[in-house]
Every structure is written in structure tokens, then in C-alpha cells.
Amino acid sequence: MKKFALVLIVLTLGLLAACGKDEGNAKDSDTIKVGVSGGDTRTWDYIVGIAKEEGLNIELVKFNDYIQPNIALAEGEIDANAFQTISYFDEFKADQKLDLEAIGSTVIAPMAIHSKKHKTLEDLPEGATIALPNEGTNFGRALLLLQEAGLITLTDDFEGIGSIDKIKDNPKNLKIEPVAAGNTPRFLDDADASIINNNFAVEADLKLEDALFHESATAKPYINIIAAQSGDVDRPELQKLVEIYHSEKVEKFIIDTFKGSSIPTFVSLEELKNYKDSWK
């Protein structure tokens, strides 16, 4: 009887260990788990189909915020994630002390300067009011866009996080109006122009081609990435994942599907990680 009980305990412990193994670590599965955030997964749904044809199984794990996908990746619950810009990623992993690394670039969702009152940048009058998203990183991104458009010059110590005192030269004496990012489209009725994140522009039915100016693939700090644990950078499955994303088929799909609201931006890891050069 004691022998039977001992065998039963061993079998039970083995079963529990197996269950914990299946649930706790994505690497023990034959399927690559990729964390994504937001409702629009058309590109990744397309990639899942291509990958299956090439012998790579991908499971999309959906999150509703920009925090949990990195935590889940750090804890090994997923194999990779794809939802964030390189600048956000570097700031987040430094703050949270996470051992993660970018393994490939994906797209830029362009921030743009929109206006209902003016047709071109040149039409903006002296003292024009410009609404900008007020969150630190977004505010900095908007300032960088104004500089790229030739409307302002930033200080030499600008490093992506925005504040009005980072404006060195403002020849048109633009009046900067910080507002919540989600409210930037509403300010088009009052301001001369509004700088709007791509997702809010799409929701407001604003077309990128109608914008006064918008980011291009040269806006390196805002390139979106695929991230993995640092020790997994050379995993063949993850390298295959990046290879598929960077294929001509996926590039064409993004261009045809999003028509400029998402720009394929496939750069080398070295160029990706040296994005801070564009702030200089």
C-alpha cells in the first residue's frame, strides 16, 4: 500500500511539473508566440499564413496595453512581441530593468501635421497655434516633426522627451498648445494646425496624403520593432520570423492594405539601434 502511494505521489508531481512547463514557458512549445497590442492584426494574420506554409507555426497573443507585452516577454510567456517603437522600448526596458533586445524593424505609423484652415506649411501665419500631444515622448516626437518640417530648431541636448524649453529657434513664433493625444483631431476646428498620432488620425478619417507634412521612414526613433529576450536573438525560429516580415510579399501587403498609414521600414539592426543620431 505504501509503495502504491509513493508511486501515486511521483506520478502526480510529474504531471504537475509537466503542466507548469506547458503553461509557464513559451520556448517549450512547437509554436512561436508573438505578443501584439491593439485590434488591427491584419499584417500579422497575413504573416501567420505565410509562416505556416514555410513550416513555422505562429500564435498571436493579444494585449490591450503597452506594458504587459514586455512583461510577458521578459517572463518567457511569449517568444517575441511586436507593438512598440524602438525609443519606447529602450526607455521601458531601462526603467523596468528587462533583459530584452530588438531583433528586427517593422513599420512606421506616421505622425502628421494636419490642418483644416491651411493647405501648405507655407500658409501657416506668424503666431500660428499648433496643437501637440502633451505626453512626454509624443510631445518630443511632435517637436522633432516640426523641426523636420523646417518650422523650428531644437536645442543640441534634445533627446526625444519633449518640453517647450527644448525649442531653440521659432522663426514664425508658433504658439504651442499641448493637449491630450486623443484630443488632437478635435483641435483642428480651433488651431491653425494639429499634430496627430496615426491611430487617432485614422479614427478621425484624416488622410495622410492631405496632411501638411508627415513623418517618413527616416524618423528612426519611431520605427516599430520585433523584440525578444536577449538570449534568444539568434534563435532560428525568431530569425525566420524577421525574415518573413521583411519579405517582398509582406512589404507589398502593408503598402496595398494601409496606403501610407503604415510604412514598411526594414533597416539593419545597427541603424535601428543608432536612432539617437537623428536627434543630433
Side-chain angles (χ1 to χ4, degrees):
M1 186 69 177
K2 290 181 179 179
K3 185 175 181 181
F4 174 76
L6 180 61
V7 170
L8 183 61
I9 291 171
V10 170
L11 288 174
T12 302
L13 290 174
L15 180 60
L16 289 173
C19 290
K21 182 179 180 181
D22 288 341
E23 294 175 2
N25 197 325
K27 298 176 191 177
D28 296 318
S29 171
D30 293 332
T31 298
I32 295 297
K33 294 183 178 181
V34 179
V36 295
S37 182
D40 192 343
T41 60
R42 283 176 288 175
T43 298
W44 278 103
D45 291 337
Y46 182 67
I47 288 171
V48 167
I50 295 175
K52 190 172 183 179
E53 293 174 359
E54 298 188 15
L56 179 64
N57 294 320
I58 298 174
E59 176 187 343
L60 298 183
V61 181
K62 298 179 182 179
F63 296 89
N64 294 320
D65 63 24
Y66 285 177
I67 297 173
Q68 291 306 312
N70 280 330
I71 301 300
L73 179 58
E75 294 179 352
E77 295 173 8
I78 56 178
D79 298 281
N81 67 38
F83 72 98
Q84 61 195 322
T85 65
I86 182 65
S87 55
Y88 173 86
F89 172 70
D90 279 352
E91 183 180 3
F92 187 93
K93 73 174 183 175
D95 288 345
Q96 300 295 322
K97 297 179 174 56
L98 303 180
D99 192 16
L100 306 178
E101 192 165 337
I103 62 172
S105 59
T106 57
V107 298
I108 280 179
M111 177 180 271
I113 306 173
H114 291 272
S115 177
K116 285 185 176 180
K117 299 179 179 180
H118 309 290
K119 297 296 184 183
T120 68
L121 289 176
E122 292 72 24
D123 292 338
L124 290 173
E126 178 84 9
T129 300
I130 312 292
L132 274 67
N134 62 7
E135 299 83 0
T137 302
N138 271 329
F139 194 86
R141 183 176 183 177
L143 290 179
L144 200 64
L145 181 61
L146 287 174
Q147 177 172 260
E148 187 181 352
L151 294 172
I152 64 171
T153 302
L154 298 171
T155 59
D156 295 338
D157 63 348
F158 177 79
E159 291 187 348
I161 302 299
S163 60
I164 291 177
D165 62 4
K166 295 298 181 183
I167 299 175
K168 181 179 178 181
D169 296 309
N170 183 4
K172 278 197 169 186
N173 295 311
L174 301 177
K175 296 176 183 176
I176 304 301
E177 185 71 33
V179 301
N183 290 334
T184 49
R186 300 182 193 132
F187 273 77
L188 287 171
D189 291 327
D190 301 313
D192 288 281
S194 189
I195 299 182
I196 305 174
N197 290 82
N198 179 267
N199 57 318
F200 296 121
V202 170
E203 289 174 6
D205 293 324
L206 297 169
K207 293 181 172 57
L208 193 68
E209 60 264 30
D210 295 333
L212 303 186
F213 191 80
H214 63 79
E215 288 173 336
S216 65
T218 61
K220 293 179 185 177
Y222 311 111
I223 296 174
N224 285 270
I225 62 164
I226 300 171
Q229 290 186 353
S230 296
D232 285 348
V233 170
D234 295 322
R235 273 181 69 187
E237 302 94 333
L238 297 183
Q239 289 298 313
K240 182 67 175 176
L241 180 68
V242 174
E243 179 186 328
I244 291 172
Y245 203 113
H246 288 188
S247 67
E248 290 183 6
K249 286 192 290 189
V250 172
E251 180 178 20
K252 185 177 186 303
F253 176 85
I254 295 170
I255 291 171
D256 292 347
T257 302
F258 296 97
K259 302 186 187 308
S261 64
S262 186
I263 302 172
T265 310
F266 307 150
V267 300
S268 69
L269 285 176
E270 181 180 0
E271 186 176 355
L272 181 65
K273 293 173 183 178
N274 289 333
Y275 66 89
K276 290 183 180 179
D277 291 344
S278 64
W279 287 335
K280 300 280 190 287

